[in-house]
Amino acid sequence: MLMVGLTGGIGAGKSTVTAVLEEAGAVIVDADKIAREVVQPESPGLAMLVAEFGEGILGQDGSLDRAALASLAFVDADRTAALNAITHPLIGQRTAELFTAAPQDAIVVHDMPLLVEGGLTPGYHLVVVVDTPADIRLERLVGQRGMPEDDARARMSRQATDEQRRAVADVLIDNSGEREAVVEATRALVESRLVPFEHNLRTATPVIGDRTVVPFRPEWAAEAERATARVRHILGEVAVRIDHVGPTSVGDLDAPDIIDLQVTVRDETGEDSALRMLRDAGWVRDTTSVRPLFHWCDPARPVELSVIAEDDPEHEFSLMMAEVIADDPSARTEYAEILQRADREETRQWERARCGASRS
Ligand SMILES: CC(C)(COP(=O)(O)OP(=O)(O)OC[C@H]1O[C@@H](n2cnc3c(N)ncnc32)[C@H](O)[C@@H]1O)[C@@H](O)C(=O)NCCC(=O)NCCS
Ligand SMILES: Nc1ncnc2c1ncn2[C@@H]1O[C@H](COP(=O)(O)OP(=O)(O)OP(=O)(O)O)[C@@H](O)[C@H]1O
């Protein structure tokens, strides 16, 4: 199962994107819909809301008056926190049930406005952000959906900023223009990334990155950070540390477009656990490597991950690369030449030799 987190600020166009994804066969888990389910008439959720916000949030027929609750709940951060403390655990429970019920070969899209606010992004294989500037969102919410402007503004102020969402996005879908453009971008995403990603995960097919050297990309650091957060989510305390290593970590160096991560574990037992947990999470073991090495299976983002025990003397070598190169311009030139030869083993050997020498 490929788990995609889809988010965006209020009015960004998530519903527009999910409609295309659903048409393409994805299973949609809609957080706003679940939020309605858990506060139906006579539900424990509704009773808790009444206890917190008063009888005034009920309509004549005893169901939730959503506008009345919104006018009380978004006035300040404290009131919103009270609303969230009641609704979010109930929503979380139902969401987990729906994920469990989805077929194993599904692309499951969690349409969730508060993905970033809840710190949930590392739990998904891919995070897609529908990116629409706040002023355009406001205009659409008021103009097309008839939402009162102060309500829209109040909700925006209770949500993450556009910058915070962009920082966790693997994919940004720009919805500042015509609707047709976002529909096209979503269809292209399904074909080029989601379908092959799901296939690779299900069949344990690794994505082996191309070792051709490409110009330095400043995005590498953020991509490595997101990959690290995902691995941290999988391994928890089993990983003593997780580092971005190898050519893309050096900074301002042309390199193959492959993110290298190094997971440090305590000892052999930790290593056994890590290998099992990574495999169960879809990482594919490289059988040609003597040391434990894994590949990720996102077709658009090759990642290689090695696992090493902290008492292995070579553990520190990968961590020293950036420093060795910063201190010695000739080492930088040599490294760049080795990378041009596009041989992973030769690169590794050079890193080991250079860092080993600099340590002694
Ligand atoms: C307050 C309620 C009754 C207002 O209902 P209403 O029909 O007007 O809005 P609806 O639920 O369709 O939400 C519309 C949008 O408002 C924003 N929003 C809703 N709840 C929140 C919240 N707690 N914090 C920030 N933004 C929110 C989201 O962008 C959402 O997509 C409702 O939003 C609610 O129960 N919210 C709490 C549950 C929740 O957090 N839902 C968000 C997804 S988990
Ligand atoms: N590209 C576009 N051009 C014009 N209007 C658009 C565009 N995309 C979406 N809209 C409109 O903007 C409004 C918000 O879009 P939509 O409901 O898809 O956002 P959402 O992210 O699902 O909202 P919410 O945060 O409330 O769940 C809707 O009225 C929708 O019809």
Side-chain angles (χ1 to χ4, degrees):
M1 178 190 301
L2 180 75
M3 294 189 287
V4 179
L6 175 76
T7 194
I10 183 165
K14 295 182 297 300
S15 310
T16 313
V17 169
T18 48
V20 178
L21 294 169
E22 192 163 28
E23 194 185 277
V27 173
I28 311 295
V29 176
D30 180 339
D32 284 342
K33 199 165 137 196
I34 297 172
R36 281 165 203 265
E37 259 181 54
V38 300
V39 294
Q40 276 171 355
E42 292 169 30
S43 63
L46 185 56
M48 286 191 269
L49 285 177
V50 171
E52 179 69 34
F53 291 96
E55 298 275 343
I57 63 164
L58 292 178
Q60 299 271 324
D61 60 356
S63 68
L64 178 63
D65 178 341
R66 306 182 69 81
L69 176 55
S71 70
L72 297 174
F74 299 121
V75 288
D76 59 37
D78 198 47
R79 293 283 74 204
T80 309
L83 168 72
N84 292 347
I86 293 169
T87 51
H88 288 186
L90 299 168
I91 295 168
Q93 215 175 328
R94 182 71 188 129
T95 305
E97 284 168 15
L98 292 174
F99 266 90
T100 309
Q104 269 315 300
D105 62 353
I107 296 171
V108 183
V109 177
H110 190 195
D111 175 357
M112 168 60 161
L114 307 177
L115 209 65
V116 177
E117 294 81 345
L120 303 172
T121 53
Y124 300 88
H125 296 118
L126 200 73
V127 170
V128 178
V129 170
V130 187
D131 189 33
T132 313
D135 53 338
I136 300 183
R137 292 194 272 127
L138 199 60
E139 210 177 280
R140 289 178 184 165
L141 286 168
V142 176
Q144 297 188 37
R145 287 235 301 246
M147 188 176 232
E149 184 174 335
D150 54 350
D151 186 10
R153 283 189 189 278
R155 293 189 202 203
M156 280 178 177
S157 71
R158 302 272 84 83
Q159 298 186 347
T161 62
D162 291 344
E163 286 67 35
Q164 287 168 324
R165 273 187 292 269
R166 282 182 202 132
V168 297
D170 299 298
V171 178
L172 269 187
I173 297 185
D174 172 21
N175 188 26
S176 57
E178 291 301 312
R179 210 183 291 265
E180 202 43 47
V182 83
V183 169
E184 272 315 304
T186 308
R187 286 194 183 131
L189 173 69
V190 172
E191 287 311 309
S192 69
R193 197 155 181 184
L194 303 190
V195 167
F197 198 167
E198 185 284 318
H199 173 270
N200 292 346
L201 259 185
R202 182 164 36 88
T203 57
T205 306
V207 170
I208 311 288
D210 183 348
R211 303 211 81 85
T212 309
V213 171
V214 300
F216 171 74
R217 294 180 53 222
E219 303 90 305
W220 281 333
E223 288 174 355
E225 217 174 287
R226 293 198 297 275
T228 300
R230 288 196 168 99
V231 176
R232 170 65 64 199
H233 181 79
I234 295 165
L235 294 178
E237 296 297 303
V238 168
V240 176
R241 56 186 289 172
I242 305 167
D243 295 279
H244 180 201
V245 297
T248 58
S249 72
V250 169
D252 205 18
L253 180 76
D254 298 348
D257 189 12
I258 301 168
I259 301 287
D260 291 289
L261 298 183
Q262 175 173 281
V263 171
T264 304
V265 291
R266 215 164 293 288
D267 49 24
E268 222 173 286
T269 317
E271 184 172 309
D272 288 346
S273 305
L275 301 190
R276 185 174 31 78
M277 291 158 103
L278 287 165
R279 193 202 52 214
D280 290 351
W283 286 82
V284 187
R285 181 90 186 251
D286 188 327
T287 48
T288 66
S289 169
V290 184
R291 288 172 171 273
L293 175 74
F294 288 83
H295 298 275
W296 188 222
C297 39
D298 178 349
R301 176 27 65 221
V303 183
E304 290 187 4
L305 180 157
S306 56
V307 179
I308 193 160
E310 62 185 342
D311 58 1
D312 185 324
E314 290 195 7
H315 156 248
E316 280 173 43
F317 293 175
S318 309
L319 306 178
M320 293 163 63
M321 272 312 301
E323 213 179 298
V324 164
I325 285 188
D327 289 352
D328 181 353
S330 74
R332 192 181 186 91
T333 312
E334 238 181 86
Y335 196 35
E337 279 168 18
I338 296 275
L339 293 177
Q340 289 292 348
R341 292 209 279 276
D343 180 332
R344 183 178 198 286
E345 242 349 274
E346 191 185 356
T347 306
R348 281 285 154 124
Q349 270 170 24
W350 185 87
E351 288 174 5
R352 283 201 281 270
R354 207 66 172 72
C355 294
S358 119
R359 191 159 173 260
S360 54

